[in-house]
Amino acid sequence: MIKKQLFVSGLFAIALMTSCGGGNQNQDNLSEEEKISGEVQVDGSSTVYPITEAVAEEFQKVYPNILVKVGLSGTGGGFKKFVRGETDINNASREISAHEDSLAKLNNISYIELEIAYDGLAVVVNPENTWCSEITVEELKKIWEPEAQGKINKWNQIRPEWPDAEIHLYGAGVESGTYDYFTEVIVGKSHSSRGDYTSSEDDNVIVQGISTDKYALGFFGLAYYEENKDKIKLVAVDDLNDSNGKGPILPSLETVRNKTYAPLSRPLFIYVNSKAAQRPAVQKFVEFYLDNCRELSQEVGYVSLTEEDINVQKEKWNNFLKTLSSSQVQQ
């Protein structure tokens, strides 16, 4: 009877060790990297989203105890959260605006901007469109400027030889950095365009609309064209104001990298909250991002930074961390 009681007590002790201490045994088998835990909150640009999502997926294979959540609110929508301190990192397809920066300062939010890739904006039409293979920046402005609403409604109003048929316009939503950038370089003023077009923060919605509408014309990030090139057709853009006179240029990895596709090519960014950057989980994620974004950005259809460019960003990040550390010591 005593032996039986001892045996039962032994089983209970083993069970207790398994429930309370087993995790520690497992932790002992983990590397120092794998032991780091925490959460990283990311939101923002739909354009940068595929890069960050790819980075997060690879990152969590190395750091299984760090949960990375990647939202999709558009650059502007993401900055609204970021400047209130609600997220750690904001994906951005444009630089932070003066208004957003002032709100950040008002909320005692400081940050670092890191460039992570390049992208081109694609102007696209339906594959059945046989007349529009190239278009000028001035013609795009004529179509998209606010004054065009209710006046420029047909293709032959752009060029007389084009069809006497309605233009159906598709583009990025107004919270998108893609919209901000397009309006800035085409219309001449950020966040300024006609309002009677089909807009969406989801580029797949724009692809779906254009792919089923012969008279559609729209714009979005080049990476989404690469994913849907069998459904839509690229239009070459001619910047008549370019003194080099290159003529109509199609966007591609090469023309975006060598900057001949003008003016619709741009850098992409992540913004990191200073307080968040003091957490090991966030530090490891940003370091992993900078180490891997060249390869992963290209894999998902973007133009990667040169090795020299990415080293500049790494040095910027390391100096930022040193500044944070010294400020903590002074406090």
Side-chain angles (χ1 to χ4, degrees):
M1 185 68 178
I2 294 174
K3 287 183 180 180
K4 185 176 180 181
Q5 286 177 333
L6 289 172
F7 177 70
V8 172
S9 298
L11 286 179
F12 177 75
I14 291 171
L16 188 63
M17 287 175 64
T18 302
S19 61
C20 298
N24 291 332
Q25 287 182 336
N26 291 335
Q27 287 289 322
D28 290 339
N29 294 328
L30 296 177
S31 68
E32 291 303 312
E33 303 285 292
E34 292 172 324
K35 288 179 182 178
I36 299 173
S37 62
E39 188 173 293
V40 182
Q41 292 277 358
V42 189
D43 208 315
S45 168
S46 62
T47 301
V48 183
Y49 175 87
I51 304 174
T52 302
E53 184 70 6
V55 172
E57 185 176 332
E58 294 302 315
F59 175 79
Q60 294 195 255
K61 293 176 184 177
V62 181
Y63 299 91
N65 290 332
I66 300 177
L67 176 63
V68 182
K69 296 181 178 179
V70 187
L72 191 62
S73 299
T75 297
F79 271 132
K80 286 179 181 177
K81 298 178 183 179
F82 184 77
V83 301
R84 293 195 296 257
E86 295 173 6
T87 55
D88 303 317
I89 298 171
N90 195 53
N91 294 327
S93 57
R94 59 163 172 79
E95 294 181 340
I96 191 169
S97 70
H99 175 66
E100 289 160 344
D101 179 65
S102 65
L103 288 176
K105 287 184 171 67
L106 192 64
N107 293 321
N108 295 316
I109 303 295
S110 59
Y111 55 82
I112 182 173
E113 173 196 276
L114 297 169
E115 198 171 289
I116 49 91
Y118 290 99
D119 183 33
L121 298 193
V123 177
V124 295
V125 293
N126 185 278
E128 293 183 28
N129 182 319
T130 57
W131 59 91
C132 183
S133 58
E134 49 88 11
I135 196 166
T136 70
V137 170
E138 285 301 314
E139 287 169 337
L140 285 171
K141 180 180 180 181
K142 184 177 180 180
I143 294 169
W144 284 96
E145 62 187 352
E147 295 79 7
Q149 185 163 335
K151 296 178 182 177
I152 306 299
N153 300 313
K154 293 189 175 184
W155 281 97
N156 64 355
Q157 289 178 280
I158 308 305
R159 295 190 191 179
E161 66 270 25
W162 286 354
D164 181 14
E166 283 189 357
I167 299 179
H168 302 148
L169 298 174
Y170 295 80
V174 297
E175 290 292 342
S176 167
T178 299
Y179 172 81
D180 289 341
Y181 188 80
F182 182 84
T183 51
E184 181 178 343
V185 299
I186 295 300
V187 178
K189 183 180 178 182
S190 179
H191 221 74
S192 175
S193 77
R194 65 192 298 165
D196 58 339
Y197 74 99
T198 301
S199 69
S200 178
E201 304 293 345
D202 185 349
D203 292 327
N204 292 310
V205 172
I206 302 171
V207 170
Q208 179 64 24
I210 296 173
S211 67
T212 57
D213 187 343
K214 181 179 179 179
Y215 297 106
L217 178 141
F219 69 90
F220 49 71
L222 179 60
Y224 284 92
Y225 166 76
E226 294 293 336
E227 293 178 10
N228 297 279
K229 59 175 66 176
D230 57 326
K231 302 174 186 175
I232 49 182
K233 186 175 81 171
L234 271 182
V235 176
V237 176
D238 191 348
D239 184 4
L240 297 176
N241 295 320
D242 187 346
S243 58
N244 294 323
K246 302 182 188 72
I249 301 289
L250 284 169
S252 67
L253 298 182
E254 181 183 355
T255 60
V256 170
R257 183 177 284 118
N258 64 26
K259 300 177 182 177
T260 56
Y261 181 64
L264 292 174
S265 56
R266 58 181 175 166
L268 304 176
F269 308 94
I270 58 171
Y271 284 76
V272 187
N273 179 298
S274 295
K275 288 182 181 177
Q278 296 174 34
R279 305 202 315 263
V282 175
Q283 286 185 18
K284 291 297 181 184
F285 180 69
V286 175
E287 288 166 7
F288 187 91
Y289 204 123
L290 294 175
D291 284 339
N292 294 275
C293 66
R294 288 189 70 230
E295 178 184 352
L296 293 174
S297 61
Q298 196 161 349
E299 281 185 15
V300 295
Y302 292 82
V303 181
S304 61
L305 299 180
T306 64
E307 188 172 352
E308 182 181 354
D309 288 340
I310 201 65
N311 285 337
V312 169
Q313 300 306 307
K314 287 180 179 180
E315 184 178 2
K316 184 178 178 181
W317 170 248
N318 289 331
N319 289 337
F320 177 71
L321 291 181
K322 289 176 184 176
T323 303
L324 290 180
S325 297
S326 62
S327 65
Q328 281 182 307
V329 170
Q330 290 172 5
Q331 291 174 2

